[in-house]
Amino acid sequence: MALDPFEVDGMQAGGPDTSLSGADILKAGGDIFSAVQGGINAASPYAGLALSYASAERQKAAAYYQQGLYEVQAIDTLRLAQIRTDQDRKYAAIQAGRKLKAAEMSALNYTIQGNTLLRTMERANAAVRARAAANGVAYAEGSAGAVQRANVTNTYRDVGITDLNALTARIMGYEDASSMFLAAEEQASLTTTAAETQARQLRLAGDFAVKSGGLLSNATLLQGGLEFAKTVKNPFT
């Protein structure tokens, strides 16, 4: 059979027809989109499970961080209480020392008063003896002796009072100082007890935060596992 020269020339010049129509392009795009969407849908359960695990771990970390904050507060509370009690004890020691010093000075003043009374008595009796001797009278007898004995009696009575006052001043000073020390110790005990109680409460709150964070983490992880089980496709089917 003879070939038309025009047909032969057309086949040699144009070759096979490889042009794509619009329908072919749309079909190819749809296939690609379907493939991508299928891959995303297949990976979505695994991504959700990973996100659930990350969220659970984040909740645990937040719980431990909260516990750390509570522990820092507890340590600071105890440290500040210790500083406060030390300062209270130092202040009480200073005030007690001042009380003891004031009591000792007061007792010393009473002792000086007693010594002054004794010296005054000695001068008075010396004057009585001198007058008695000048008048030719026995200074240890008669009115001269009576005056001296009266001076001695009155003076030693007064000296006894000053000695008692000195002793009382010392006793009162020791009592005041002891009361200050005891009050400082009681206040320190109360401050320490309150701080320890607050520290225990803070640590208990930290433990509760860790436990609650663990429960929330487990719940999040369980929910993620359930969602994974519901959405994942069996790769063997």
Side-chain angles (χ1 to χ4, degrees):
M1 178 179 179
L3 295 176
D4 188 350
F6 295 102
E7 293 181 358
V8 174
D9 292 340
M11 293 176 61
Q12 292 177 351
D17 188 6
T18 58
S19 61
L20 295 176
S21 65
D24 294 333
I25 295 174
L26 291 176
K27 182 177 182 301
D31 293 340
I32 294 173
F33 181 79
S34 298
V36 172
Q37 187 178 30
I40 293 174
N41 291 334
S44 178
Y46 298 95
L49 183 62
L51 290 175
S52 297
Y53 178 78
S55 178
E57 292 300 317
R58 185 169 60 251
Q59 288 172 338
K60 286 183 180 180
Y64 282 112
Y65 177 74
Q66 187 67 32
Q67 185 187 36
L69 292 179
Y70 282 127
E71 181 64 23
V72 170
Q73 292 179 11
I75 293 173
D76 287 342
T77 299
L78 293 174
R79 182 175 59 85
L80 291 175
Q82 185 62 44
I83 293 174
R84 190 178 297 113
T85 54
D86 290 342
Q87 292 299 322
D88 290 341
R89 288 191 177 102
K90 289 179 182 179
Y91 181 75
I94 293 172
Q95 293 299 317
R98 290 176 179 175
K99 280 289 183 181
L100 289 175
K101 189 65 176 178
E104 189 62 31
M105 292 299 296
S106 180
L108 181 61
N109 288 332
Y110 284 120
T111 301
I112 292 172
Q113 290 179 13
N115 292 334
T116 301
L117 290 173
L118 290 174
R119 285 193 294 271
T120 301
M121 179 199 69
E122 290 174 355
R123 287 194 296 268
N125 287 345
V128 170
R129 288 194 296 270
R131 284 195 300 270
N135 293 327
V137 178
Y139 62 85
E141 298 176 358
S143 61
V147 170
Q148 293 180 73
R149 287 191 293 273
N151 287 339
V152 171
T153 300
N154 294 332
T155 299
Y156 274 96
R157 183 177 62 248
D158 294 339
V159 169
I161 294 173
T162 57
D163 288 343
L164 179 60
N165 290 336
L167 179 61
T168 302
R170 288 190 175 94
I171 293 173
M172 295 287 289
Y174 285 125
E175 287 182 351
D176 292 341
S178 299
S179 298
M180 289 181 177
F181 276 118
L182 290 175
E185 288 299 323
E186 290 178 357
Q187 183 62 41
S189 178
L190 291 174
T191 301
T192 302
T193 302
E196 290 175 349
T197 301
Q198 186 176 0
R200 283 195 297 269
Q201 292 175 349
L202 290 170
R203 284 168 176 156
L204 182 62
D207 293 339
F208 179 76
V210 170
K211 291 178 181 179
S212 61
L215 292 175
L216 292 174
S217 173
N218 293 334
T220 301
L221 194 58
L222 178 60
Q223 183 179 3
L226 292 175
E227 292 295 329
F228 175 78
K230 288 190 297 184
T231 56
V232 69
K233 294 182 180 180
N234 189 350
F236 301 103
T237 59

